[in-house]
């Protein structure tokens, strides 16, 4: 089975901190994604990457950046955390054909 | 742009009841369609998919048929169980895109 592992299940950070959310997949997938999930809003795409060092903005990239230095790892960076970034963050990976992306268990981030 | 609309929840059913969760989409061309399920405290899991018109996806007793004429992909199950309690997401991927576009999710609660 494909595994997508997110480094933390729960995270509490202070306003203004720089926050790193890590995601690792073990199936050599080209595509990796970061979504955020909020009640009543569903999943919204923040960034995705289709190859090492390649990235594309999603629907809500403001306040975030990403890094993909190795194929298996895709990091989401909150440059200066704010309370409105309190959310569940979900990482996913999948092959180019796009069928059946696999999701990690999520990181619930609270910014205080 | 592309979008997915699914019925708002929560949907509350008794065990063995029939389930329908409506999903309609807007997209150009022939997108692939998906249902994902999220159990409490977990990430999303692919439940079923359909890649062309009139295809029927099925898994674990759930079914959905890709209806091009009505741009719909409704999820059905003949007899729900308490263990089906979860949040269900309808999603699409268009022919040109890479990322999945999700609906807002429908919470299903099944009581015994």
């Amino acid at each position: 089975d494909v595994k997508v592992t997110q480094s933390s299940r729960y995270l509490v950070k202070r306003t203004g901190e720089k926050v790193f959310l890590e995601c690792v997949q073990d199936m050599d997938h080209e595509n990796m994604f970061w979504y955020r999930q909020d009640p009543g809003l569903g999943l919204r795409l923040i960034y995705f990457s289709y190859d090492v060092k390649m990235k594309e903005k999603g629907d809500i990239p403001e306040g975030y950046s990403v890094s993909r230095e190795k194929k298996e790892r895709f990091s989401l960076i909150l440059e200066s955390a704010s309370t409105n970034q309190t959310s569940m963050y979900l990482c996913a990976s999948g092959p180019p054909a796009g069928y059946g992306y696999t999701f990690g268990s999520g990181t619930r981030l609270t910014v205080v | 742009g592309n979008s997915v609309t699914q019925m708002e929840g929560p949907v509350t059913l008794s065990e063995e009841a029939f389930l329908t969760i409506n999903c309609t989409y807007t997209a150009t061309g022939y997108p692939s369609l998906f249902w994902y399920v999220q159990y409490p405290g977990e990430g999303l899991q692919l439940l079923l998919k359909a890649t062309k018109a009139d295809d029927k996806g099925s898994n674990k007793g759930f079914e959905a048929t890709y209806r091009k004429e009505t741009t719909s992909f409704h999820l059905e199950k003949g007899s729900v169980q308490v263990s089906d309690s979860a949040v269900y997401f309808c999603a699409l991927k268009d022919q040109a895109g890479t990322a999945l576009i999700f609906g807002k999710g429908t919470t299903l609660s099944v009581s015994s």
Side-chain angles (χ1 to χ4, degrees):
Chain A
D1 279 354
V2 176
K3 282 193 177 171
V4 177
T5 303
Q6 295 184 230
S7 53
S8 304
R9 288 299 299 270
Y10 299 94
L11 214 50
V12 180
K13 295 293 182 180
R14 294 194 181 279
T15 301
E17 277 193 77
K18 190 169 187 176
V19 181
F20 293 85
L21 302 183
E22 306 287 345
C23 176
V24 177
Q25 53 99 357
D26 66 358
M27 281 299 290
D28 203 37
H29 285 160
E30 286 79 2
N31 297 324
M32 296 188 75
F33 309 85
W34 277 105
Y35 289 88
R36 88 176 254 180
Q37 180 180 10
D38 299 288
L41 298 177
L43 275 75
R44 293 178 292 167
L45 181 66
I46 305 172
Y47 268 97
F48 68 95
S49 169
Y50 52 89
D51 202 350
V52 175
K53 297 190 186 293
M54 306 303 289
K55 60 186 178 185
E56 292 282 346
K57 293 180 180 179
D59 299 319
I60 52 164
E62 296 79 17
Y64 304 94
S65 62
V66 290
S67 172
R68 194 162 181 206
E69 297 296 319
K70 294 185 178 182
K71 193 173 187 180
E72 67 270 19
R73 186 179 297 271
F74 191 37
S75 302
L76 180 69
I77 304 158
L78 286 66
E79 297 290 343
S80 177
S82 64
T83 54
N84 63 12
Q85 292 178 309
T86 291
S87 186
M88 169 72 87
Y89 290 87
L90 293 168
C91 176
S93 77
Y99 300 159
Y101 292 162
T102 300
F103 281 80
S105 298
T107 295
R108 185 165 293 281
L109 172 68
T110 302
V111 182
V112 297
Chain B
N2 297 334
S3 66
V4 175
T5 303
Q6 58 183 108
M7 63 187 287
E8 293 192 19
V11 174
T12 304
L13 295 173
S14 298
E15 209 166 23
E16 300 184 2
F18 185 85
L19 169 70
T20 299
I21 300 178
N22 291 337
C23 172
T24 58
Y25 68 89
T26 301
T28 54
Y30 298 89
S32 297
L33 301 173
F34 306 84
W35 276 101
Y36 279 80
V37 58
Q38 184 180 34
Y39 298 104
E42 298 183 14
L44 275 69
Q45 302 174 23
L46 178 65
L47 182 58
L48 52 85
K49 68 178 188 288
T51 58
K52 61 183 187 295
D54 300 324
D55 266 3
K56 178 185 282 187
S58 62
N59 186 25
K60 299 181 181 180
F62 291 88
E63 294 183 341
T65 301
Y66 187 164
R67 301 286 188 200
K68 180 71 174 173
E69 63 276 13
T70 54
T71 61
S72 65
F73 192 54
H74 303 323
L75 182 68
E76 296 181 337
K77 187 175 185 183
S79 177
V80 294
Q81 305 300 312
V82 172
S83 57
D84 293 327
S85 298
V87 182
Y88 293 82
F89 291 91
C90 185
L92 72 81
K93 178 186 170 301
D94 68 23
Q95 292 170 300
T98 300
L100 290 169
I101 297 168
F102 287 88
K104 293 184 178 181
T106 302
T107 299
L108 170 65
S109 179
V110 181
S111 58
S112 58

